[in-house]
Amino acid sequence: MAIAILMKGGGSGSGSDDVTASKAQVLQGYTAVTSDSDDEPAAGTMPNRGTNYQTPRNVGWDTSRGILWMNIEKGYYGDPSGDNNYVWKDIAAARSQLGITAGKILAGQNIGGLAGTATSDANASAGYIYSGKTAYVNGTKITGSMSVSSLVSFSTATYSTTQITASWQWPWAGPYSGIAICGKTGGYPDNIWDSRVYTGHGNNYNLGASTSVIIGGLQPGQTYYFRAWLYCTTSAGDLYSGYKQATAATKPQGQQVFTSSGTFTVPANIYSIDVFCVGGGGAGGRYYSASDGKQFGGAGGGGGYTSTRKNIAVSPGQSYAVTVGSGGIQPGSSYDTAAPGGTSSFGSILTANGGEIGKEGNRLSFTTHPSGGAGGSGGGGGLKLQYDADGNFKELGIGGNGGSDGGNGGAGGTSTLGTSIITNGPGGTGQGTTTRAFGDSNGTLYSGGGGGSSYYTAGGQGGSGGGGNANSAGAANTGGGGGGSSVRGGNSAKSGGSGIVIVRWGY
């Protein structure tokens, strides 16, 4: 602060050239001849800041010089006649400018009326703070390095056509709460939320333990790409480890159809198969006209019996003999050589017998009627007629329809002889269970019974699943029964259809 000489009256002849103080160095309210007053008394321009109410503009630390500094405005501070003059600044503003906060003062301590909140007893280190996060410990900012441990190992293996086995070993140190597995075709999942297929902890989640789960709902014959992360559930949400990855393929679906006898060899990676067998269909019965006026239409042959066995344990490369039963034959010239269908088989594991023949007229008495052959589905019954005393007959009915899907064949119709009504041949008995492939509700239908015939008219229809109509053979490789023959159909062969054997896997 400059010192000014206060002038209270005229001088002794001294002028501006004789003094060094300027008007700025003379307190406001006082006059003096100054170096800049042209030898005349002039009012001072030095501001009078007062005694105790002015505030320094800034306060700060100069650590290089070890000082606390304050920046104040030019002027006179205090009372020229007093001796208790001082300059002050609001303490809250000073704390703010000096960067003093409660967090920098120990709890229980007080600086300038500010109570401290900092503690010195925290013991967290970077390893206890999640990686990428920061925290203050005893006043020091720490960047965390804690992370969820990764799996020791992770692998996948084929289990079935729709399932994969995932196996892993837990780490030897925590923390972790469980495992998240994502899997898809075409490439590895992009992140923890991409195609999640499993979340949990298996049946053993102890440190260092090994465990596994079966992941289902997959598509047959596909290669899947898996990634697995460990997760740790916290109040801040789930934390995740790095991932491990593996691939595995589901088993393919397939089947082999045998329309003739041969050998089945188990494909690679196949350990379970289903087998469906259909026996050959029975031949239809011939018509017959006796010298005593009896006339008969042949009955339909029974469809081949069916049999199914699922989940047969096998080994890749294992071989099995397959026999496909032939259809029963109706030669056409001999009544004695009509035959039932042949037996179909898969090794010694599964067999299906052939259907029975439809009854033939020449073996029947007047009171016995041509009945349909028994089988997977029964054959339709035949029709019997006889001339009356005047050599006339009247035919009202036709042969019965062949049975379907394990049902019985239909009975032949009725005819009249004079005033008498003659009931004709009954249908053959079916096996009573579905003849669809593998017993599945949507499987292909096999083993229809053959339709029965009358002596003259067309006759019954073959059962669904390959049964022959009256006067026609059963369809090949269906096990369908042959249709009964009539005089209009001639004595051509009405043989049963051959059987079939189907092997499938991955269903």
Side-chain angles (χ1 to χ4, degrees), residues 151-445:
L151 293 163
V152 174
S153 62
F154 176 73
S155 62
T156 52
T158 301
Y159 186 80
S160 72
T161 55
T162 59
Q163 297 171 308
I164 292 288
T165 300
S167 303
W168 66 92
Q169 183 181 355
W170 299 107
W172 293 101
Y176 60 81
S177 301
I179 189 172
I181 302 175
C182 298
K184 65 180 185 179
T185 60
Y188 287 106
D190 294 328
N191 53 56
I192 193 72
W193 301 279
D194 184 9
S195 305
R196 181 79 65 89
V197 294
Y198 179 77
T199 303
H201 47 66
N203 56 19
N204 186 346
Y205 53 99
N206 295 322
L207 288 172
S210 296
T211 190
S212 63
V213 295
I214 296 174
I215 298 172
L218 308 178
Q219 296 299 312
Q222 297 292 318
T223 296
Y224 280 83
Y225 296 80
F226 296 93
R227 280 180 175 165
W229 293 260
L230 290 189
Y231 67 89
C232 181
T233 300
T234 72
S235 59
D238 286 344
L239 310 179
Y240 296 95
S241 71
Y243 63 78
K244 288 190 179 296
Q245 62 189 34
T247 62
T250 51
K251 292 180 179 179
Q253 282 185 331
Q255 71 175 17
Q256 187 171 352
V257 178
F258 289 87
T259 57
S260 60
S261 300
T263 301
F264 173 75
T265 301
V266 180
N269 299 318
I270 301 301
Y271 297 89
S272 177
I273 60 173
D274 300 338
V275 178
F276 174 67
C277 292
V278 181
R286 280 176 37 133
Y287 77 90
Y288 178 67
S289 178
S291 59
D292 60 359
K294 297 185 183 74
Q295 296 175 327
F296 301 90
Y305 288 91
T306 68
S307 58
T308 298
R309 185 171 171 184
K310 297 182 177 181
N311 299 318
I312 302 170
V314 294
S315 299
Q318 197 170 1
S319 295
Y320 296 88
V322 176
T323 301
V324 174
S326 59
I329 297 174
Q330 188 205 74
S333 60
S334 170
Y335 296 111
D336 298 323
T337 57
T343 298
S344 294
S345 63
F346 181 82
S348 59
I349 294 175
L350 191 66
T351 60
N353 293 328
E356 294 182 357
I357 63 173
K359 297 302 185 292
E360 298 181 354
N362 72 311
R363 296 296 184 185
L364 306 175
S365 68
F366 178 73
T367 58
T368 304
H369 313 289
S371 58
S377 300
L383 185 68
K384 180 178 77 172
L385 300 174
Q386 183 171 343
Y387 289 104
D388 61 17
D390 297 325
N392 301 314
F393 69 91
K394 185 176 183 181
E395 183 177 68
L396 298 178
I398 61 175
N401 295 328
S404 299
D405 201 16
N408 298 335
T414 58
S415 61
T416 60
L417 179 61
T419 59
S420 300
I421 297 177
I422 302 173
T423 301
N424 295 284
T429 303
Q431 66 185 26
T433 57
T434 184
T435 58
R436 293 186 179 277
F438 299 98
D440 297 339
S441 60
N442 60 345
T444 302
L445 192 61

Side-chain angles (χ1 to χ4, degrees), residues 1-202:
M1 180 185 302
I3 299 174
I5 299 174
L6 305 180
M7 306 297 290
K8 299 243 179 155
S12 57
S14 298
S16 296
D17 293 336
D18 299 316
V19 295
T20 58
S22 67
K23 288 182 284 187
Q25 293 170 317
V26 177
L27 186 65
Q28 289 177 349
Y30 294 87
T31 60
V33 176
T34 63
S35 61
D36 56 353
S37 66
D38 293 328
D39 298 327
E40 296 294 330
T45 61
M46 178 189 296
N48 186 350
R49 301 300 184 186
T51 57
N52 61 2
Y53 60 88
Q54 297 297 327
T55 302
R57 288 180 296 183
N58 295 297
V59 178
W61 299 105
D62 187 337
T63 56
S64 64
R65 292 187 290 170
I67 62 172
L68 173 66
W69 59 264
M70 293 184 290
N71 180 280
I72 62 176
E73 296 179 299
K74 292 180 179 181
Y76 178 82
Y77 290 84
D79 183 349
S81 63
D83 56 5
N84 291 316
N85 302 316
Y86 54 87
V87 176
W88 64 273
K89 184 174 180 67
D90 180 79
I91 195 167
R95 285 198 304 259
S96 176
Q97 290 179 344
L98 292 172
I100 298 173
T101 63
K104 296 178 180 179
I105 304 172
L106 287 176
Q109 303 297 314
N110 187 297
I111 296 178
L114 180 63
T117 60
T119 59
S120 60
D121 57 350
N123 59 7
S125 62
Y128 290 91
I129 302 171
Y130 188 60
S131 178
K133 302 297 183 181
T134 59
Y136 282 92
V137 178
N138 299 329
T140 301
K141 185 177 181 179
I142 295 176
T143 300
S145 62
M146 182 187 74
S147 61
V148 180
S149 300
S150 294
L151 293 163
V152 174
S153 62
F154 176 73
S155 62
T156 52
T158 301
Y159 186 80
S160 72
T161 55
T162 59
Q163 297 171 308
I164 292 288
T165 300
S167 303
W168 66 92
Q169 183 181 355
W170 299 107
W172 293 101
Y176 60 81
S177 301
I179 189 172
I181 302 175
C182 298
K184 65 180 185 179
T185 60
Y188 287 106
D190 294 328
N191 53 56
I192 193 72
W193 301 279
D194 184 9
S195 305
R196 181 79 65 89
V197 294
Y198 179 77
T199 303
H201 47 66

